Amino acid sequence: MVSMIGLLGGIILLIVLTMKGMNLLLAAPFSAFIVAIFSQLPIFPQLAEEGEASFLTNYMAGFSGFIMSWYLMFLFGAIFGKLMEDSGAADSVSKWIIDKIGMKQAALAVVLACAVLTYGGVSLFVVAFSVYPMALSLFKEANLPRRFIPAALAFGSTTFTMTSAGSPEIQNWIPIEFLGTSPYAGWEVSLLVAIFMMVFGYWWLKKMLTRAVKNGEKFEARDNDPALKRTSLPNPILSMIPLIIVLVISYIFHDMLAQSALILALLGGCIATYILSRTYFQNVWKAVSEGTVGALIAIANTSAVVGFGGVAKATPAFESAVQFMTDIPGSPLIGGALAVSVIAGLTGSASGGQSIALPLLAPHYLDIGVVPEELHRVVAISSGSIDSLPHGGYVVTTIRAIAGEEHKDAYPAFGALTVIVPILGVILAVTLFSIF
């Protein structure tokens, strides 16, 4: 009981500290320390018996282990995104899609622009930064309330694209290491789920926008609104080629290299972007530098949360919680989906939730005969559901830092599209896998 109080208290503390703006590199180890104290874990390895868990050992093992496994993916992904941004290629693709869809479908244009960039391997954060100025301009022309922009950005980036089969985003590649699958695992069901999430989510977004407009809401300009960054952009068709190259290389080499194929694919995307858009770069080496720094910050924040999980999973309370979820009656996929989504939600990180849960869950489910491809797809989709609770890093960045909105205004729509819609997608995926 004391261990459970400590585990829940540590999780709540992590959420509260993050919501208040404390850096995760401080909030996560401090919260993990509270968990360790309540579970009577030794603080230092020198105070533990041989082979016994300790706060410092478990935290740093989780922290450094995630960096060791995923640093190069984060690095090349961030650099690729920054090169697409600095060259104007990301803007070109987004503007082309928005021009084709038109002002009357402002929200759909924003969603599709984000979806194409995300499925092409551009970092979620870079997508949000790149598309936001155009989304702002489009919402202004259509006179739509701006508080829905973060929801449109996130819906196009983190639902039917990020966790779908073939996606080069890391959330679709982490399960490969533990399940021996490919990024295309369960693609038939993934396609149906992605279509459902896109259609239902967009219908819901339109309904919320229509209701808000009927209630008298409209676009309100601000003095600090950014303008579109440039007028001269590379050809949009050429700008899409690096995105296609990322997908093609990852497809060709995934059987041979598993998750390492993503490194090669993103590197190929970087080279292609430089070659095709080199005359449009503002400062290519600055973009590379900013991408490198961004990768370090992103992986450090995620690793901090994974370190928290490394301490949490050493507690008796965590073992009891996992046992409860894996013993849920019905399809084993239900327990896997629930465990991953809960851990991702508590940590505010889809990739962090997978990295904590899969080392524990994968052997258990594989031993009882669960089809690895089915588990891969369910885990991927479920990780992208309640990871978008208000304290999530992407949530805070998109709503506050990029869009300049308050949680109370923007999060209801944001949460509906990035939490509830993926949960329905998980339910549909489990149902389809159970039927077929």
Side-chain angles (χ1 to χ4, degrees):
M1 178 59 73
V2 175
S3 177
M4 184 62 72
I5 292 173
L7 179 59
L8 294 176
I11 291 167
I12 292 171
L13 179 62
L14 177 59
I15 293 173
V16 170
L17 292 177
T18 305
M19 290 282 288
K20 287 185 175 295
M22 180 179 285
N23 192 301
L24 272 174
L25 292 173
L26 180 59
F30 180 68
S31 301
F33 179 78
I34 300 300
V35 173
I37 292 297
F38 273 79
S39 292
Q40 298 182 336
L41 294 180
I43 303 304
F44 302 107
Q46 292 83 358
L47 303 177
E49 299 291 335
E50 185 175 352
E52 183 184 5
S54 69
F55 162 73
L56 187 59
T57 299
N58 283 56
Y59 187 86
M60 292 312 301
F63 186 98
S64 60
F66 189 84
I67 292 177
M68 181 175 67
S69 297
W70 298 104
Y71 171 67
L72 288 180
M73 286 76 159
F74 272 77
L75 177 65
F76 288 124
I79 292 175
F80 175 49
K82 277 296 180 181
L83 290 176
M84 288 284 291
E85 179 184 33
D86 189 77
S87 66
D91 287 346
S92 179
V93 172
S94 301
K95 187 175 185 300
W96 182 79
I97 293 171
I98 289 170
D99 289 343
K100 294 296 181 183
I101 299 296
M103 185 180 67
K104 292 183 179 179
Q105 301 294 333
L108 179 60
V110 173
V111 170
L112 291 180
C114 291
V116 169
L117 292 173
T118 301
Y119 203 81
V122 179
S123 164
L124 304 177
F125 292 93
V126 173
V127 170
F129 275 108
S130 298
V131 178
Y132 175 70
M134 281 169 283
L136 192 68
S137 175
L138 205 59
F139 269 57
K140 181 178 181 179
E141 289 184 41
N143 200 25
L144 297 175
R146 62 189 297 155
R147 68 184 179 92
F148 289 95
I149 293 178
L153 295 173
F155 175 58
S157 301
T158 68
T159 55
F160 58 93
T161 50
M162 180 181 78
T163 59
S164 294
S167 171
E169 299 295 334
I170 192 173
Q171 292 80 4
N172 182 46
W173 285 71
I174 290 178
I176 296 173
E177 177 182 356
F178 303 98
L179 300 174
T181 49
S182 83
Y184 301 90
W187 70 266
E188 301 92 340
V189 166
S190 177
L191 178 61
L192 294 175
V193 172
I195 292 172
F196 163 76
M197 287 197 289
M198 180 179 179
V199 173
F200 177 72
Y202 179 65
W203 169 82
W204 199 357
L205 175 60
K206 285 287 290 182
K207 186 175 181 179
M208 289 186 287
L209 278 166
T210 301
R211 185 187 303 118
V213 171
K214 285 183 178 180
N215 290 337
E217 291 190 51
K218 58 184 180 179
F219 186 89
E220 296 180 359
R222 298 171 186 166
D223 293 337
N224 62 345
D225 282 344
L228 291 179
K229 290 182 288 186
R230 64 181 90 197
T231 55
S232 178
L233 295 171
N235 183 283
I237 304 303
L238 290 179
S239 297
M240 291 184 190
I241 292 178
L243 307 178
I244 297 171
I245 286 175
V246 171
L247 294 175
V248 171
I249 292 178
S250 64
Y251 176 79
I252 293 174
F253 291 98
H254 74 265
D255 284 337
M256 181 190 305
L257 300 177
Q259 70 268 26
S260 296
L262 187 56
I263 299 174
L264 192 62
L266 292 170
L267 179 59
C270 292
I271 295 171
T273 302
Y274 178 77
I275 293 173
L276 294 173
S277 304
R278 60 186 180 279
T279 59
Y280 291 90
F281 278 104
Q282 296 177 325
N283 190 331
V284 64
W285 291 115
K286 181 180 178 182
V288 171
S289 178
E290 289 178 350
T292 302
V293 173
L296 289 172
I297 294 173
I299 198 169
N301 284 333
T302 304
S303 297
V305 173
V306 175
F308 173 88
V311 175
K313 71 181 183 181
T315 65
F318 187 87
E319 184 177 346
S320 299
V322 171
Q323 188 64 46
F324 171 79
M325 287 183 280
T326 53
D327 287 343
I328 293 175
S331 170
L333 296 176
I334 297 175
L338 182 61
V340 170
S341 62
V342 168
I343 295 173
L346 295 174
T347 59
S349 168
S351 54
Q354 288 188 30
S355 296
I356 294 168
L358 282 173
L360 300 172
L361 299 178
H364 168 75
Y365 284 119
L366 293 178
D367 286 345
I368 63 175
V370 175
V371 179
E373 288 74 17
E374 295 180 1
L375 184 60
H376 177 138
R377 190 52 48 210
V378 168
V379 161
I381 298 172
S382 64
S383 72
S385 56
I386 62 174
D387 68 312
S388 295
L389 292 177
H391 68 287
Y394 176 79
V395 179
V396 174
T397 300
T398 304
I399 291 178
R400 295 185 182 178
I402 296 176
E405 301 291 335
E406 296 292 330
H407 265 60
K408 63 182 178 62
D409 298 322
Y411 188 75
F414 193 108
L417 298 178
T418 61
V419 176
I420 297 177
V421 171
I423 287 176
L424 295 177
V426 173
I427 295 172
L428 177 59
V430 172
T431 302
L432 291 174
F433 280 128
S434 300
I435 294 174
F436 299 108

